[in-house]
Amino acid sequence: MTKELYVVGLGPGDPELITVKGVNAISNADVIFVPYSTGTNRSLSLNIVEKYAKKDAKVVTLGFPMAKKVEESALKSIGDEICKEAGDFSVFVTLGDPTLYSTFFRTHKFVSDCFTKIELIPGVSSITSCASRIKLPLALGDESILIVPSSRLSLLEEVKDKVETIVVMKANENLDKISEMLNSSYTLYYARRCYLDGEKIIPWDGSFDKDYFSMLIGVRKVER
């Protein structure tokens, strides 16, 4: 029996910022897996899915612990549920892009044997979304970009003056320390929930909201 799984990047949360290929996959799916955070019991993806899914599609919500370290048994349990509920044409949705900090790859090894085909459909990342909101080029010519979570302070300290652009993801911690590292060499912007309710985009002023869906973007203070 053929069972296909399409992992669809939904983009930053605006239903119009999903690819045509992503919409086609969702609208044809028999089963749609929608992850949500067990910490908040909210899924930012569900509104997009409901907009494009066919009426008889089965929507299966998956509670993901959003801790940095999650027991393998918990992830295996989610994988088992995916395998159990899967249809012939299933979709697993994730905000942003499936290859960048997505929930899918936390369970990939537990579901790979359940499907005859697994395909990833790219999505618009929060990184490019927020840069677009700021009207900021992330890189020009042969410039380089560092993408790093806010927990990696030692890495930031090591490479901070070797790249033109730094994007600090998951910026709900350490931004006071990070801004001290970067402020003299980089122009800093704080962006939260780009293209979502609660969007906030400002030049860095020292305050942040401890929101997981936020970032700090730093651009070297040189003429570009």
Side-chain angles (χ1 to χ4, degrees), residues 94-191:
T94 178
L95 284 175
D97 181 89
T99 64
L100 190 62
Y101 299 118
S102 82
T103 50
F104 173 71
F105 279 101
R106 304 179 82 177
T107 60
H108 177 253
K109 67 181 179 180
F110 301 116
V111 304
S112 57
D113 292 336
C114 303
F115 298 94
T116 54
K117 175 182 179 181
I118 296 178
E119 180 177 328
L120 273 62
I121 298 177
V124 178
S125 77
S126 61
I127 296 168
T128 55
S129 299
C130 290
S132 295
R133 280 298 212 209
I134 301 169
K135 299 181 178 64
L136 179 73
L138 289 171
L140 298 171
D142 61 354
E143 293 177 346
S144 58
I145 304 170
L146 172 68
I147 300 170
V148 59
S150 61
S151 58
R152 301 291 301 276
L153 294 176
S154 59
L155 176 61
L156 267 171
E157 184 65 50
E158 180 182 347
V159 303
K160 63 180 181 180
D161 292 319
K162 299 176 182 178
V163 296
E164 284 74 26
T165 302
I166 295 176
V167 181
V168 180
M169 303 289 291
K170 308 177 185 181
N172 56 339
E173 60 177 340
N174 294 328
L175 287 200
D176 47 353
K177 298 175 183 176
I178 292 170
S179 65
E180 286 180 13
M181 284 186 208
L182 303 181
N183 206 32
S184 62
S185 301
Y186 292 82
T187 300
L188 302 177
Y189 302 89
Y190 177 75

Side-chain angles (χ1 to χ4, degrees), residues 64-82:
F64 273 80
M66 292 302 176
K68 291 180 182 178
K69 293 184 179 180
V70 179
E71 293 292 333
E72 285 279 288
S73 59
L75 297 175
K76 184 179 183 303
S77 178
I78 295 170
D80 290 343
E81 185 175 1
I82 292 172

Side-chain angles (χ1 to χ4, degrees), residues 35-45 193 213:
Y36 70 92
S37 167
T38 54
T40 62
N41 290 320
R42 290 186 291 112
S43 170
L44 298 174
S45 306
R193 296 181 177 254
F213 293 102

